[in-house]
Amino acid sequence: MKYYITTPIFYPNSSPHIGTAYTTVAADALARYHRLLGDKVHFLTGTDENAQKIVRTAEEHGTDPKIYVDGVVERFKELWAALDISNDDFIRTTEERHQKVVQQIFTKLYEQGDIYKSEYAGWYCTPCETFWLENKLIEGKCPNGDCCRDVELLKEESYFFRLSKYQDTLLQYIAEHPDFIQPSSRRNEMLRFIEGGLEDLCVSRTTFQWGIKVPFDPKHVVYVWLDALINYISALGYPDGENYQRYWPADVHIMGKDIVRFHAVIWPIILLALDIPLPKVIYGHGWYLTKEGGKISKSRGNVQDSFELIQRYGSDAIRYFLLREMQVGSDGTYSEDNVVERLNSDLANDFGNFVSRSLAMVVKYREGIIPRPGQDGKLEQELKELSQEIKNSVEKRLGVFDLASALEEIWRFVARCNKYVDETAPWSLAKHEDQRERLDTVLYTFMECIRIMAILTAPFMPGLPSRICRLLGLDEGLIRWEETDQWGILEPGTRVEKGEPLFPRIDISQYLNVGETKRVDEDQTMDQNINQTQVQTETNEFTLSPEPTPTPEFEPIKEEISIDEFAKLDLRVAKVLSAERVAKTDKLMKLEVEVAGVVRTVVSGIAKHYAPEDLVNKYVVLVANLKPTKLRGITSQGMILAASQGEVLEVLIVNKDLPGGARVK
Ligand code: MSP
């Protein structure tokens, strides 16, 4: 069976982030699953480079668009490599192989009357690269709820694509192919949208030159969405390339919910007009949002370096997190502490622990040699039945692109295996010579469970099979999907290795905002806030020194710490939005500060040294991962840094143009 799967092509106007990575990781897991099934897979991703916003961004960077995108495209490729993405092709829409197909299709549609010349008068949203009619705008802004940005008035000669002509054919197609748009919530949205009436679409622009020229009228460039959608066939060598013959129609186009509309309307209509079969499935997943429910975006300053994350936790763990947290039909929440939580509970505790425990027992009780099993008991029978049930349900769920619940099912098997260890209690069996054969059976079953887990998780965490095979002394070629519910594959007599833990537990306080800082009482925190030096110098006597310029008595330097310990501190620039004195104390000031797009309240012991208005609009340094504490009934979410000696105290102010949220290191 052939299996052609695509991701959207990404705008290389900025580097990819962990949210954008989701689509590609999801497509990769499906591609790997189909390869394991033995399908002939073609997996395509790439970049959408002819957008107007690319020109804008390149201008902002004072560089040429092509030079600019060349740099960003490399970042995409590096990220996909770091995440073990196994794409078979990477298409860039600035490549000739793509441009010539777009020009050919544009000409054909024009010649057959599906594209015609007229004048466009209306609005354009550059961030969304979308045309809007006046009556669709909301308070004069882009009506896309995720955007709401300013739109620009356009009045220019343009070519139009007759979407309206195909409206009924498309509706009928969707009605006859209930699986065409998935999940069903997106299908219903699309049906409502199309039933609302399709307007002909403006498909060329004349006010800038970046993009693919209309071949018979080169002052026009092709509208970026028409150009971009064609990548799915231009990359295959449409119309007569071998790959096109072999792989089209696509088995699935995976994408985020925001762009289903383009794929469910413009793309099928292009294909209908060209008399080309439609893709089998268009699948729209939700978005990864921040804990606060906001978008992950560079302009909001909440984009974490994906490479740093992968280096910290490993590609398998990041992939697991992304795939496990995004439930069908809804959005997922991304935060680094959630990643660590998942890693510690599902990967280190459940999965990793089973693997290390059972390998350790084979090493301890059988000198590391897989024993020959005896007769199965009831528990082994149950495990075998469960493996069949899990294989079927994982296949069913992956068949409808439900990766999160496929993982949930796999973890049902992992949990059962852990329970099997407790039920069989090999440590007790080992004490009785007459239980030797029973212990052999149990230990053999453990090893088979590990092998099965390696197959089940291989599409999601591609780094695991080779690591597990090494531990089990198994040839990696024996990781075959059809053997997920086959038992007795491992050769008794094979030597296993205990190895390193697959997923070491992460100390959450090492990197995060939820540090396991010791609880401190109110006064102590307040004193820390105003810096201990000052508390001490209230009783110091340096002013009594006979020296004309006395050397102040400094607090002794504290004991050495390692760079890792220092790295636990998350210091950030924070903008003071407002400040007021706390009632009934002359020491405390309450500040509202903005850090990484979030407003926090901080109570600080600086009121004797500053008037509130002195600090407003200043950029201070915040210890951002200090456990919140209550001071005079107010929850203080962090501490601001100040230098002090004697009576003097000065809050550290950052004077360069750095936004609230910038790291201090
Ligand atoms: N260039 C168009 C697609 C053209 S396809 C013919 C585009 N590019 S994009 O770079 O803006 O988005 C690419 C994909 O990333 C989309 O599927 C989008 O939904 C997805 N995501 C962007 N941010 C995301 C999250 N925070 N979470 C999950 N997916 C997100 O649109």
Side-chain angles (χ1 to χ4, degrees):
M1 295 265 282
K2 69 92 188 167
Y3 189 75
Y4 178 33
I5 180 165
T6 67
T7 71
I9 47 173
F10 295 83
Y11 290 126
N13 58 324
S14 64
S15 301
H17 57 68
I18 208 72
T20 31
Y22 174 74
T23 316
T24 312
V25 171
D28 186 69
L30 290 163
R32 286 178 181 275
Y33 164 64
H34 280 271
R35 283 193 202 106
L36 271 183
L37 287 180
D39 289 346
K40 186 106 198 59
V41 172
H42 193 73
F43 170 21
L44 174 71
T45 188
T47 40
D48 186 356
E49 307 184 10
N50 301 318
Q52 190 182 353
K53 64 172 131 194
I54 303 282
V55 187
R56 296 255 166 106
T57 317
E59 269 166 13
E60 281 160 25
H61 285 78
T63 179
D64 167 78
K66 182 68 170 59
I67 295 175
Y68 180 77
V69 291
D70 282 351
V72 183
V73 167
E74 279 316 301
R75 297 295 286 169
F76 273 92
K77 289 187 172 170
E78 281 161 20
L79 183 62
W80 299 156
L83 280 169
D84 295 309
I85 302 300
S86 61
N87 53 304
D88 297 287
D89 193 2
F90 187 106
I91 182 130
R92 299 184 55 179
T93 56
T94 45
E95 284 176 77
E96 210 211 315
R97 63 168 169 156
H98 172 72
Q99 306 216 337
K100 71 170 202 255
V101 176
V102 172
Q103 289 186 325
Q104 201 179 323
I105 290 175
F106 198 99
T107 308
K108 184 163 194 296
L109 294 175
Y110 178 71
E111 284 170 354
Q112 69 189 37
D114 282 321
I115 284 182
Y116 59 92
K117 198 175 195 172
S118 180
E119 186 171 83
Y120 180 74
W123 298 87
Y124 193 74
C125 173
T126 308
C128 296
E129 301 286 359
T130 305
F131 296 97
W132 294 109
L133 291 174
E134 174 101 28
N135 62 7
K136 293 268 164 50
L137 301 183
I138 298 176
E139 292 172 3
K141 307 259 183 195
C142 174
N144 170 3
D146 290 321
C147 176
C148 307
R149 281 179 268 199
D150 287 339
V151 287
E152 291 161 58
L153 184 60
L154 300 183
K155 194 170 188 323
E156 58 191 63
E157 178 191 276
S158 296
Y159 285 93
F160 283 80
F161 182 33
R162 288 188 204 282
L163 293 189
S164 54
K165 174 176 154 193
Y166 291 94
Q167 176 174 325
D168 294 340
T169 321
L170 180 60
L171 278 173
Q172 192 186 341
Y173 186 90
I174 297 174
E176 286 169 2
H177 297 82
D179 291 339
F180 178 50
I181 305 170
Q182 295 187 42
S184 54
S185 50
R186 311 264 179 251
R187 177 173 189 267
N188 297 337
E189 255 168 47
M190 284 305 109
L191 279 171
R192 279 196 303 274
F193 176 77
I194 302 165
E195 282 159 2
L198 296 180
E199 310 272 344
D200 289 352
L201 177 74
C202 174
V203 286
S204 77
R205 303 286 308 274
T206 52
T207 44
F208 58 92
Q209 285 304 298
W210 174 252
I212 303 177
K213 304 238 179 312
V214 172
F216 50 87
D217 195 352
K219 75 171 191 288
H220 289 258
V221 294
V222 177
Y223 170 46
V224 67
W225 268 103
L226 189 86
D227 151 356
L229 290 160
I230 291 172
N231 91 88
Y232 300 130
I233 54 175
S234 68
L236 295 180
Y238 171 84
D240 36 39
E242 207 178 293
N243 277 344
Y244 177 71
Q245 308 300 337
R246 186 178 300 160
Y247 292 113
W248 191 259
D251 291 81
V252 58
H253 294 313
I254 305 267
M255 69 203 69
K257 58 183 181 179
D258 53 320
I259 58 171
V260 170
R261 194 159 45 91
F262 300 92
H263 286 78
V265 178
I266 307 176
W267 184 223
I269 293 183
I270 297 173
L271 296 168
L272 287 171
L274 294 171
D275 201 18
I276 294 177
L278 269 48
K280 292 184 196 154
V281 177
I282 285 164
Y283 185 85
H285 60 72
W287 270 45
Y288 264 109
L289 304 175
T290 62
K291 260 187 184 165
E292 292 76 28
K295 247 177 136 175
I296 304 173
S297 82
K298 217 173 165 188
S299 54
R300 291 170 202 222
N302 58 12
V303 173
Q304 208 171 356
D305 186 331
S306 321
F307 293 94
E308 194 179 294
L309 279 174
I310 297 167
Q311 209 171 22
R312 247 180 226 176
Y313 305 113
S315 149
D316 281 341
I318 297 291
R319 289 173 60 114
Y320 175 80
F321 170 83
L322 289 174
L323 298 171
R324 178 65 186 76
E325 288 282 308
M326 179 74 83
Q327 301 289 335
V328 170
S330 47
D331 291 324
T333 304
Y334 170 79
S335 78
E336 194 175 352
D337 41 344
N338 286 349
V339 172
V340 174
E341 231 167 77
R342 280 270 172 219
L343 202 163
N344 283 344
S345 72
D346 300 9
L347 299 181
N349 269 7
D350 300 345
F351 192 107
N353 216 12
F354 174 77
V355 174
S356 350
R357 269 167 111 187
S358 39
L359 285 168
M361 285 190 261
V362 173
V363 170
K364 183 165 176 196
Y365 302 132
R366 294 295 180 260
E367 275 110 35
I369 305 294
I370 302 179
R372 182 167 301 282
Q375 202 59 21
D376 275 352
K378 188 170 154 276
L379 292 175
E380 289 73 33
Q381 279 306 331
E382 264 177 38
L383 266 178
K384 290 184 178 178
E385 278 161 30
L386 182 68
S387 72
Q388 273 174 6
E389 188 188 319
I390 300 283
K391 176 174 184 269
N392 292 340
S393 74
V394 169
E395 286 172 357
K396 215 158 110 201
R397 286 154 205 250
L398 291 181
V400 290
F401 316 99
D402 187 351
L403 295 143
S405 81
L407 280 171
E408 250 173 72
E409 283 297 283
I410 297 170
W411 256 253
R412 198 151 69 82
F413 183 69
V414 175
R416 186 67 191 82
C417 293
N418 274 310
K419 192 160 161 234
Y420 174 71
V421 179
D422 299 336
E423 288 166 342
T424 51
W427 45 90
S428 306
L429 297 176
K431 288 187 193 138
H432 306 285
E433 194 43 41
D434 63 338
Q435 294 293 331
R436 196 173 169 84
E437 188 181 314
R438 179 69 193 137
L439 181 58
D440 282 347
T441 309
V442 168
L443 294 176
Y444 183 84
T445 308
F446 286 170
M447 298 300 99
E448 283 284 273
C449 289
I450 299 180
R451 180 186 59 81
I452 289 171
M453 287 178 190
I455 310 177
L456 286 169
T457 52
F460 307 88
M461 294 186 277
L464 268 187
S466 62
R467 295 175 69 197
I468 292 183
C469 284
R470 214 171 313 126
L471 298 176
L472 290 183
L474 183 68
D475 176 353
E476 215 183 317
L478 290 174
I479 296 291
R480 289 187 293 239
W481 189 263
E482 68 271 21
E483 280 164 5
T484 316
D485 57 354
Q486 306 294 306
W487 293 69
I489 303 290
L490 290 171
E491 281 293 330
T494 310
R495 177 170 292 282
V496 300
E497 258 179 61
K498 202 164 152 229
E500 295 291 310
L502 291 177
F503 298 101
R505 274 188 75 79
I506 302 281
D507 170 8
I508 200 159
S509 65
Q510 197 176 340
Y511 305 114
L512 302 174
N513 287 352
V514 282
E516 285 158 8
T517 331
K518 268 202 287 165
R519 260 197 99 76
V520 277
D521 67 34
E522 180 167 323
D523 284 345
Q524 210 183 332
T525 317
M526 192 169 73
D527 288 342
Q528 276 175 2
N529 249 356
I530 57 171
N531 188 329
Q532 284 178 350
T533 321
Q534 199 218 342
V535 179
Q536 271 195 2
T537 51
E538 274 166 17
T539 55
N540 89 26
E541 293 177 347
F542 74 82
T543 45
L544 304 178
S545 157
E547 298 294 324
T549 49
T551 312
E553 192 178 297
F554 290 107
E555 192 186 2
I557 300 220
K558 291 188 178 155
E559 71 183 70
E560 267 179 10
I561 58 165
S562 68
I563 185 84
D564 288 345
E565 283 171 288
F566 175 72
K568 287 183 190 174
L569 270 182
D570 195 344
L571 302 176
R572 300 294 176 120
V573 173
K575 181 180 181 185
V576 180
L577 303 175
S578 65
E580 60 184 83
R581 291 183 190 282
V582 175
K584 297 189 201 140
T585 157
D586 56 357
K587 279 189 176 171
L588 297 180
M589 182 142 21
K590 178 182 152 200
L591 309 168
E592 298 285 328
V593 299
E594 191 234 320
V595 56
V598 177
V599 177
R600 290 202 190 179
T601 303
V602 176
V603 180
S604 180
I606 52 172
K608 280 188 178 166
H609 306 267
Y610 285 88
E613 57 275 19
D614 294 342
L615 289 168
V616 175
N617 287 330
K618 295 277 189 305
Y619 288 85
V620 297
V621 178
L622 177 78
V623 184
N625 60 338
L626 196 62
K627 213 169 199 161
T629 187
K630 275 208 166 168
L631 293 167
R632 305 271 161 170
I634 306 167
T635 304
S636 178
Q637 303 160 297
M639 176 171 118
I640 62 165
L641 295 190
S644 89
Q645 182 71 40
E647 291 302 306
V648 184
L649 178 143
E650 181 157 10
V651 169
L652 300 186
I653 306 272
V654 176
N655 288 317
K656 269 257 167 80
D657 185 18
L658 281 161
R663 286 283 302 274
V664 178
K665 32 188 181 176

